[in-house]
Amino acid sequence: MTDLADLADVGRDRRRGGYSRHGFDAVELELRAWFVEEAERRGLDVRPDRNGNIWAWWGTPGPDAVVTGSHLDSVPGGGAFDGPLGVVSALQAVDLLRAKGFTPAKPVAIVVFVEEEGGRFGVACLGSRLMTGAITAQAAARLVDADGVTFGEAAHAAGFDPLRMGRDDRALSSVGAFVELHVEQGRGLDVPVGLASSILAHGRWRYTFTGEGNHAGATLIEDRRDPMLPAAEVVLAARRAATSGARATVGRIVPNPGGTNVIASSVDVWLDARADDEPRTREVVAHITEAARAAAAEEGCEVRVTEESWGGTVHFDTDLMARVRDALGGDTPALPTGAGHDAGILAAHVPTAMLFVRNPTGISHAPEEFAEADDCAAGVAALAATLEHLAR
């Protein structure tokens, strides 16, 4: 909690509450510098990779490494724990192990992934997607933020060459096991620490409705081609389609030009959809898209649907989960999660597991996100025990 307190004033969002920290912006760069300083103070060997992720090594970098870590960026107006808790806990787990005199037989590394939330460039887990080849360097470089800055431009300004980004087989081949600690993002734990069993299939879709901009006072209702109406239908259709455990959310709508007394000429709507498996998730999106197309046609508008990101159902490595359970005493509960993580991207390439720290509010991606100090300490102890078990 002391290390989290060091970050408490970095990236506060005075309008939304909480924190707004996004990939390669000034705030995230400050947090990255903090991590480098903390890692070097501990004598760790800090090595950024070519995709903008930062690695801090305890021991000589090499194959079969035991890797942990998370991210430092946030959603707009996010909480204090999502991401930073995993990074802070990793540093403190190393402190605990050193204090007891443990020397790892395998290399141990802490990694900080860039742009996990996708809050700036729209694609979640961008650093791990680049590293695994789930997105190409060319596609990533073209991503644009709200100010028209591309990811390639932001990466270059931060000291990285976007032309050298992409799948990093050297980094992947060094990972023998990856364990990410994260605050639990629902109310699924009644004990301080748990395991993740799986991640729901999920993706993001952008609906662009095009109509006719006009005067809000001078244009009769029957003469309008207002794209805000079919945009609103996406919001309603998302709620109707989210049944039987599926989740569908519209959290962002951007009208153009955005004037109070102006009928919009176009409206962009972003949909987040999740369900137990790919067919069910695709079915939810298909129902919403059908409703969007019908509403657009009725209003005389056009609609274009773009899939911006996708992640299939992730089942974490059962052998690694069993080894983590052994390290923790054998009775740690496991639960599925609807939240995406870098661990989920890595799971298709290396053995991966996740530790969750209890969230008593059940709130995440919001200022009220919370974890008790004692539970955070239990998370650090659990991560330390896991690293010791895997690295000996």
Side-chain angles (χ1 to χ4, degrees):
M1 298 298 284
T2 300
D3 283 341
L4 282 175
D6 289 344
L7 310 180
D9 292 326
V10 183
R12 283 195 180 274
D13 192 317
R14 305 300 177 186
R15 180 174 68 86
R16 300 181 180 95
Y19 297 90
S20 291
R21 304 158 163 169
H22 307 307
F24 292 145
D25 70 3
V27 171
E28 201 242 10
L29 291 176
E30 182 177 349
L31 294 174
R32 289 162 66 90
W34 168 86
F35 173 75
V36 170
E37 180 180 350
E38 288 296 314
E40 290 180 340
R41 185 170 64 81
R42 290 166 167 84
L44 304 182
D45 181 6
V46 178
R47 302 187 179 191
D49 68 22
R50 65 174 190 260
N51 290 308
N53 309 309
I54 308 173
W55 298 70
W57 289 89
W58 180 17
T60 303
D64 203 25
V66 179
V67 184
T68 187
S70 193
H71 61 97
L72 292 169
D73 65 307
S74 75
V75 297
F81 295 85
D82 182 356
L85 180 63
V87 176
V88 164
S89 297
L91 291 167
Q92 293 187 356
V94 169
D95 293 343
L96 275 183
L97 292 174
R98 281 178 162 169
K100 67 181 293 186
F102 175 73
T103 300
K106 297 178 181 179
V108 173
I110 302 171
V111 60
V112 174
F113 288 103
V114 68
E115 186 70 349
E116 192 272 350
E117 296 291 5
R120 182 175 181 185
F121 295 101
V123 175
C125 301
L126 194 52
S128 55
R129 287 181 189 273
L130 279 164
M131 188 176 81
T132 60
I135 188 172
T136 66
Q138 293 77 13
R142 292 193 297 267
L143 297 172
V144 182
D145 71 7
D147 296 320
V149 178
T150 68
F151 177 74
E153 291 168 340
H156 184 268
F160 298 95
D161 183 354
L163 298 179
R164 295 189 64 248
M165 289 182 165
R167 182 179 171 95
D168 191 340
D169 288 313
R170 181 177 180 180
L172 283 172
S173 64
S174 72
V175 182
F178 178 74
V179 180
E180 180 174 2
L181 180 143
H182 206 280
V183 66
E184 207 263 311
Q185 293 178 276
R187 202 176 284 110
L189 278 178
D190 56 7
V191 294
V193 178
L195 280 165
S197 59
S198 61
I199 296 176
L200 301 184
H202 61 282
R204 297 180 183 184
W205 289 261
R206 179 177 180 171
Y207 292 73
T208 301
F209 297 94
T210 304
E212 183 177 72
N214 217 325
H215 195 292
T219 309
L220 298 176
I221 295 297
E222 56 268 27
D223 292 337
R224 299 185 180 197
R225 295 171 49 228
D226 185 350
M228 190 63 79
L229 271 69
E233 177 58 29
V234 174
V235 180
L236 298 172
R239 175 56 63 91
R240 293 195 301 266
T243 59
S244 303
R247 298 97 191 258
T249 307
V250 173
R252 183 180 174 206
I253 298 176
V254 178
N256 179 43
T260 302
N261 59 345
V262 179
I263 300 168
S265 57
S266 65
V267 179
D268 286 310
V269 181
W270 281 265
L271 171 73
D272 180 299
R274 309 173 190 233
D276 288 339
D277 55 34
E278 178 171 352
R280 176 67 178 126
T281 308
R282 299 286 185 187
E283 180 184 11
V284 168
V285 176
H287 284 309
I288 296 168
T289 300
E290 181 181 3
R293 294 192 190 283
E298 182 177 353
E299 186 64 17
C301 296
E302 298 177 352
V303 59
R304 182 176 72 254
V305 184
T306 305
E307 181 178 291
E308 293 196 335
S309 66
W310 169 255
T313 306
V314 172
H315 296 282
F316 289 107
D317 188 274
T318 53
D319 290 340
L320 181 56
M321 286 178 61
R323 294 175 70 192
V324 174
R325 269 207 176 96
D326 287 344
L328 303 184
D331 58 353
T332 305
L335 64 155
T337 177
H341 301 280
D342 291 304
I345 302 299
L346 295 181
H349 305 271
V350 299
T352 305
M354 289 194 71
L355 291 170
F356 282 145
V357 171
R358 177 168 52 189
N359 177 351
T361 67
I363 295 173
S364 188
H365 282 188
E368 293 78 15
E369 180 180 86
F370 184 66
E372 296 283 357
D374 287 348
D375 288 353
C376 292
V380 171
L383 182 58
T386 297
L387 297 178
E388 180 177 9
H389 186 70
L390 296 178
R392 65 189 180 194

